[in-house]
Amino acid sequence: MPLSGRPLRRRTVAAVSVLGLLAAAVVADPAAAGQRHAGGYAATIQRASYGVPHITARDFAGLGYGVGYAQAEDNICLIAETMVTVNAERSQHFGNAARNVTSDLFHRRAIDGGAVERLLTGPRDGIRSPSDEAREQMRGFAAGYNAYLRRTGAANITDPACAGKPWVRPITELDLWRSHWARMVRAGSGALADGITAAAPPRADGTPAPAAAPQAKAVVDARDGAPAGVGSNAYGLGREATARGAGMLLANPHFPWDGADRFYRMRLKVPGRYDVEGASLVGEPLVQIGHNGRVAWSHTVSTARRFTWHRLTLVPGDPTAYRYDGRTRKMTTRTVTVRTQSGTVTRTLYDTHLGPVVVVPGRFEWTTGTAYAVSDPNASNNRALDGWLAMARARTVGELRAVLDRRQFLPWVNTIAADQRGSALYGDHSVVPRVTDAVAAACIPAEFRDLYATRGQAVLDGSRSACAPGKDPDAAVPGILGPANLPVLVRGDYVTNSNDSHWLANPQQPLAGFPRILGDERTARSLRTRLGLLQVQQRVAGTDGLPGTGFTTANLWQVALGNRAYGGELVRDDLVALCEAQPAAIASDGSAVDLTAACAALRGWDLRVDLDSRGSHVFTEFARAGGLRFADPFDPAAPVSTPRRLAVDDPRVRTALADAVRALGDISLDAQLGDIQTEPRGDERIPIHGGWPEGGVFNMIISVVEPGVGYRKVQHGTSFLMAVELGRGGPSGRQLLTYSQSANPNSPWYADQTRLYSGKGFDTIKFTERQLRADPNLITYRVGERRR
C-alpha cells in the first residue's frame, strides 16, 4: 500500500494550496527514503516551486516508482492515452479516423510480432538487452503510476480529459517498453506507418492496388530525415566563450505544447549512483536533457535518415515473392485485426527479411515487377535508457563522447554538451543506417541517385546481399554507421545546432566528408541556424548591445529570448522600399491587394517578435508565403552571412506580401504581437512571444493564424529552456517549461510557468541541497509500497 500520513512541512500559502493534490506522508529527512519497505518501492518527493519534483530513492526501482507517481499526479491523462496508442486501441476509444486505424494496425503488427518482447531478451548489458537498472526503473514507474491510480480512482481524477474514462487503467512494465519503442521508431518505420499498413499486391490487371499514405508521402518529400513537428536549438559554450571560463549549455528543444510529447521537469537521485536535473518526455523514467554536477547536455533533431529503402525484384507471376542472390524468397504475411467503434478492421501486412513492404503512391508503388521494403535499425534499438543513464554519469565531455561511441543509442537526435573544464561537444552519434559512400555508389540504382544526393534517401538494390545492411567494425550493433563514420567536434569556444546538418556546428571548423545519409554539406543554412551562430559570435565579441563580452547565464537567457527576426534584419528595408514604390499587388488567388498599410506596419516594426512588437505578424506571414527570396548566391566561404540581399525584381516577393495581407484578414497590421498571439489557460489568454523560423526567429513558436482573429493556440516550439553554468561551486542558472508542468486544467501547475515565459522570467537551477532548501515553496512527502 502507498504510504500516507500527515504533512510535516507547509512552507508558504502557495504550498498549502497544493497539498490536496499530493498523496503523501512527508518526511523531514530526504535521506530516510527507502529505509522502510525493504525489497519494495520507496521514494522521497520534494516538490519545489512550479511543482517540479526532486525525487530521491535508494535504488532505481524506488526512483522509477517516485517518477511514475509524480508524473501521474500531474499528467495521468497523457500517460493513459499513450498506453491506449501503443496497445492498438485508439479506434476503439477515440473514433474511426484514418489516423487512429493506421496507428492501431501499426502497433498491433508490433504486438502480434512480439517486437518489444524480443528486445528484452539476451544479456542484460545495456547494449544487447536493457540492464537491470533500466528494467527496475520501468517496473518502478509502472508501480508508482498504478499506486496513484489506485489511490485516486479513475472516477476521481481531476483532469476532465480522462476522468472516469474506461481507457484509464493500470499499466504494465511492457506497456512502458512499448511506448519507449514507439518513440525510437518515430522518424523511421513509425513515420511510414500508413505506407506499411496500406501495402497490398497489385490487382489482377497488374495495376497498383488503391492506397493512401499521406504521412509516408510527406516523409519521402521532406528535405531531410527530421521527424515532423519537432526541432531544437542548442549551444555548447566552452571556456573561450564564457565570462568566467566554465562550460555552459543552452538547451532549447522545440516540441509540441500538447499531447504525449510534452516535456516534464524533474531532478532524480540515487545517492552515489545517479544524480541529474533536467527534463524528459512524459512517460519516460529518467532525464533525457539536463545536467549532473560537471556535465550538461541537450539534444537537437538530426537531419540524418533513419531508414533505407530496398527495391525488390519480384518473381514473374507472383508479386509476393522476390529474388535475392539468385534465389526466390517468399514474403511473409501477418493478418492483424483491430477493434473500432463500428466493428473490426482486418488487414494483411507484408514483410521481407529486410523489413516491411511499404507503398507510397506515385513514389514507391507495388507493381508486378517491383516492390519496396524498408529497414529501420531503430526498430531493434533497446539501448536508449541505458545510454541516458550512462550519459548522466559522465564527468567530462570526453567521457560523454565515449558513452555515445560505445552505446550508439540516440534514435534521431544530435548531442550538444559542455563540461566544468570548459570544453564543448557536438556530435551526431545517432542511429543511422549503414550507407557509406561506397555502398551508395555500388548499390543505389541510377534512377534513385538524385534522390540520395538531394535528400539523403537511399534506395538500395534489394536483390543482392552485398547491398544489405552490413556492419562497421566499430559499430555497437550491425546495420548502422560506426563512430568513425559519424561527425563529432570538441572545442574550447563553442558548438551549436539548430536542426541543420552537422556541417556548420562551428564555422571555424566545418565537419565535412561524411556519408550523405547524415545530411548535406556546403549548402545554405537556415536563417535560424545563421542567427544562432551570429548571436554567439556577437556575444563573444561584445557587439550585440549587451554589457561585457562572453556568456553568463543571465545574458544567455537574454540572447535565447531576444526574439530577433534575422530575416527582417536582412531584408526589411528593401522590402519596405519595394512596397512603397509599388503598393498595388496581386495575391496568388488573383485578388488585388493594397499594400499601403503593410508598408507602414513593416517600416515601424522593431525587427523582433516581442510582445510589444508591432507589425511582426506581417513579416511572419510574408516569410511563410515564400517571400524571402534572395538575389545573391550562397557562398560556402561565408555561410553565416550569405545569402542576404532581397530579390526585389522577383515578382513572387510582392505576391507573398499580398498573400500575407490576405491571410491576416481583419487583423490590424500594426497590432502588438502580444495582443494577437496567445495561449489559452482556462478563461485566461496568456500573451506569447516568439515566432516562425521562416522569418529567421531563434525562439521558435509555431502558431497558425486564424484570419481576422490571430494566433490563438501554440502548436509547438520552445518548450523546455535551460541555461546552465558548470561552475566550481556546482551548477547554476535558469530553466523553464513554457507550457507548465501539468496538462490538467485543475492543477496549480497548469499555467504558472506559461505566465513566467510570457514575461521572460525563469526558475532557477536547484541541483545542490542549498539551492533546493532555499526554495520557499518546498513540500516534502514520501511514497512507497511493498512489492506485490
Side-chain angles (χ1 to χ4, degrees):
M1 296 294 293
L3 295 171
S4 61
R6 182 173 59 85
L8 295 178
R9 183 177 296 133
R10 302 185 182 186
R11 303 286 293 270
T12 67
V13 174
V16 174
S17 69
V18 303
L19 287 174
L21 296 178
L22 305 179
V26 182
V27 294
D29 180 11
Q35 290 181 356
R36 295 177 60 183
H37 297 317
Y41 303 104
T44 295
I45 302 175
Q46 296 175 280
R47 289 273 189 174
S49 292
Y50 308 104
V52 178
H54 293 238
I55 304 170
T56 304
R58 69 177 181 183
D59 54 32
F60 284 96
L63 189 68
Y65 188 96
V67 175
Y69 198 100
Q71 288 198 20
E73 287 179 308
D74 297 332
N75 291 298
I76 190 169
C77 295
L78 296 182
I79 300 171
E81 184 175 345
T82 296
M83 298 307 116
V84 171
T85 299
V86 300
N87 281 288
E89 297 172 346
R90 291 197 65 85
S91 303
Q92 182 180 344
H93 296 291
F94 303 129
N96 300 353
R99 64 181 181 275
N100 287 339
V101 175
T102 292
S103 172
D104 288 349
L105 290 169
F106 178 77
H107 286 289
R108 176 49 59 186
R109 172 183 177 272
I111 293 169
D112 291 353
V116 173
E117 289 88 339
R118 285 196 302 275
L119 301 184
L120 299 176
T121 61
R124 299 185 178 190
D125 58 5
I127 295 178
R128 289 170 292 181
S129 180
S131 69
D132 288 334
E133 289 179 348
R135 294 167 191 262
E136 286 293 292
Q137 281 194 285
M138 286 296 215
R139 189 174 299 119
F141 188 108
Y145 174 98
N146 292 337
Y148 176 77
L149 180 59
R150 284 196 307 272
R151 182 182 184 277
T152 304
N156 297 317
I157 292 172
T158 61
D159 188 343
C162 68
K165 300 295 185 182
W167 46 269
V168 180
R169 59 168 180 79
I171 65 176
T172 68
E173 181 184 358
L174 184 58
D175 291 333
L176 292 170
W177 283 113
R178 286 174 176 162
S179 172
H180 181 72
W181 177 85
R183 284 180 168 143
M184 296 297 102
V185 302
R186 173 174 178 164
S189 53
L192 299 169
D194 57 355
I196 293 171
T197 59
R203 293 178 291 194
D205 62 2
T207 59
Q215 294 174 340
K217 181 180 182 298
V219 172
V220 173
D221 292 344
R223 64 181 291 268
D224 58 40
V230 292
S232 319
N233 300 315
Y235 289 164
L237 302 171
R239 67 186 75 85
E240 298 167 25
T242 62
R244 288 185 283 268
M248 293 176 61
L249 179 92
L250 174 70
N252 180 207
H254 303 149
F255 269 59
W257 278 36
D258 297 286
D261 286 332
R262 283 171 57 115
F263 277 99
Y264 184 81
R265 287 177 56 194
M266 53 189 181
R267 161 74 187 287
L268 306 180
K269 183 174 184 178
V270 176
R273 299 173 67 188
Y274 182 72
D275 194 1
V276 64
E277 178 182 26
S280 72
L281 296 177
V282 170
E284 296 288 344
L286 44 63
V287 168
Q288 295 167 314
I289 292 176
H291 65 89
N292 58 28
R294 297 182 180 183
V295 176
W297 66 92
S298 190
H299 299 301
T300 60
V301 176
S302 160
T303 60
R305 293 287 178 176
R306 304 302 160 185
F307 59 88
T308 51
W309 297 94
H310 302 273
R311 187 178 69 173
L312 307 175
T313 301
L314 302 183
V315 175
D318 185 356
T320 62
Y322 58 100
R323 300 290 287 173
Y324 192 74
D325 283 344
R327 297 184 177 184
T328 296
R329 288 194 177 218
K330 190 73 175 174
M331 294 179 186
T332 57
T333 61
R334 183 179 300 279
T335 300
V336 297
T337 299
V338 298
R339 294 177 59 189
T340 75
Q341 292 180 345
S342 58
T344 60
V345 173
T346 298
R347 195 163 297 172
T348 298
L349 307 181
Y350 296 82
D351 275 283
T352 73
H353 75 287
L354 295 165
V357 179
V358 183
V359 297
V360 181
R363 304 290 197 279
F364 296 95
E365 303 271 18
W366 190 344
T367 68
T368 56
T370 303
Y372 297 88
V374 295
S375 56
D376 177 3
N378 271 313
S380 57
N381 182 1
N382 54 6
R383 306 178 297 281
L385 287 188
D386 283 290
W388 275 304
L389 283 171
M391 282 184 72
R393 292 165 172 153
R395 296 166 296 179
T396 65
V397 296
E399 291 185 6
L400 188 143
R401 177 180 178 178
V403 170
L404 299 177
D405 284 351
R406 178 173 182 265
R407 296 179 179 273
Q408 294 195 265
F409 65 93
L410 294 167
W412 32 265
V413 291
N414 304 294
T415 299
I416 293 84
D419 66 20
Q420 192 178 67
R421 296 178 179 180
S423 294
L425 172 145
Y426 163 83
D428 188 350
H429 276 42
S430 54
V431 174
V432 184
R434 186 183 172 274
V435 181
T436 63
D437 290 341
V439 169
C443 294
I444 296 179
E447 61 267 37
F448 293 110
R449 289 174 187 165
D450 184 66
L451 180 66
Y452 184 69
T454 58
R455 300 190 182 186
Q457 290 191 66
V459 182
L460 304 178
D461 182 351
S463 68
R464 295 185 287 146
S465 58
C467 296
K471 186 180 189 305
D472 277 355
D474 59 342
V477 295
I480 65 175
L481 293 174
N485 276 316
L486 297 172
V488 65
L489 182 63
V490 177
R491 291 183 62 89
D493 52 0
Y494 67 90
V495 293
T496 83
N497 186 262
S498 292
N499 305 130
D500 275 318
S501 77
H502 54 274
W503 177 57
L504 215 63
N506 185 303
Q508 296 181 52
Q509 193 176 352
L511 293 166
F514 293 92
R516 178 60 182 86
I517 195 169
L518 281 157
D520 52 9
E521 299 171 358
R522 297 179 61 81
T523 60
R525 304 291 91 175
S526 73
L527 291 174
R528 179 160 59 93
T529 289
R530 290 167 60 185
L531 177 59
L533 289 163
L534 186 63
Q535 288 177 158
V536 175
Q537 293 170 348
Q538 291 176 338
R539 177 82 299 269
V540 171
T543 59
D544 58 0
L546 297 175
T549 60
F551 280 98
T552 65
T553 53
N555 64 38
L556 179 55
W557 198 261
Q558 289 178 279
V559 167
L561 299 181
N563 287 328
R564 293 169 62 178
Y566 186 52
E569 294 178 17
L570 293 176
V571 310
R572 189 274 304 272
D573 291 348
D574 288 342
L575 179 60
V576 168
L578 175 65
C579 173
E580 291 177 340
Q582 304 177 59
I586 303 299
S588 58
D589 64 1
S591 59
V593 177
D594 183 356
L595 300 179
T596 303
C599 299
L602 289 171
R603 179 172 289 282
W605 176 37
D606 64 1
L607 300 178
R608 297 183 184 264
V609 284
D610 282 325
L611 295 182
D612 59 356
S613 295
R614 293 184 179 274
S616 65
H617 51 300
V618 178
F619 190 79
T620 292
E621 295 306 317
F622 163 74
R624 291 189 62 213
L628 270 174
R629 298 181 178 276
F630 294 99
D632 54 325
F634 166 69
D635 181 359
V640 179
S641 58
T642 62
R644 60 181 302 107
R645 289 190 295 106
L646 184 68
V648 294
D649 295 328
D650 189 331
R652 292 173 293 183
V653 173
R654 293 176 61 248
T655 298
L657 188 55
D659 287 345
V661 173
R662 294 276 293 164
L664 292 167
D666 296 331
I667 299 171
S668 173
L669 300 186
D670 68 345
Q672 292 190 133
L673 182 62
D675 291 336
I676 60 172
Q677 182 166 277
T678 58
E679 172 70 9
R681 286 294 183 268
D683 294 331
E684 181 182 5
R685 301 208 68 86
I686 301 174
I688 298 296
H689 53 86
W692 285 70
E694 285 80 352
V697 177
F698 188 75
N699 179 27
M700 190 172 86
I701 290 291
I702 301 300
S703 183
V704 178
V705 68
E706 298 177 36
V709 178
Y711 304 85
R712 304 277 289 176
K713 180 75 188 73
V714 178
Q715 294 180 341
H716 66 95
T718 291
S719 48
F720 176 56
L721 189 62
M722 179 179 72
V724 59
E725 180 175 14
L726 299 157
R728 295 296 178 184
S732 62
R734 304 179 176 190
Q735 55 185 330
L736 178 72
L737 192 62
T738 56
Y739 36 68
S740 302
Q741 193 79 346
S742 175
N744 179 359
N746 292 310
S747 169
W749 304 309
Y750 173 64
D752 50 355
Q753 291 186 77
T754 310
R755 299 187 193 101
L756 198 63
Y757 169 76
S758 180
K760 297 188 180 180
F762 57 90
D763 189 18
T764 57
I765 297 291
K766 297 181 178 69
F767 187 78
T768 68
E769 187 63 24
R770 181 178 181 181
Q771 289 168 334
L772 181 60
R773 290 191 178 279
D775 190 310
N777 301 313
L778 194 64
I779 306 168
T780 303
Y781 57 104
R782 190 167 69 183
V783 294
E785 65 178 84
R786 296 179 179 87
R787 293 209 193 189
R788 295 171 181 272

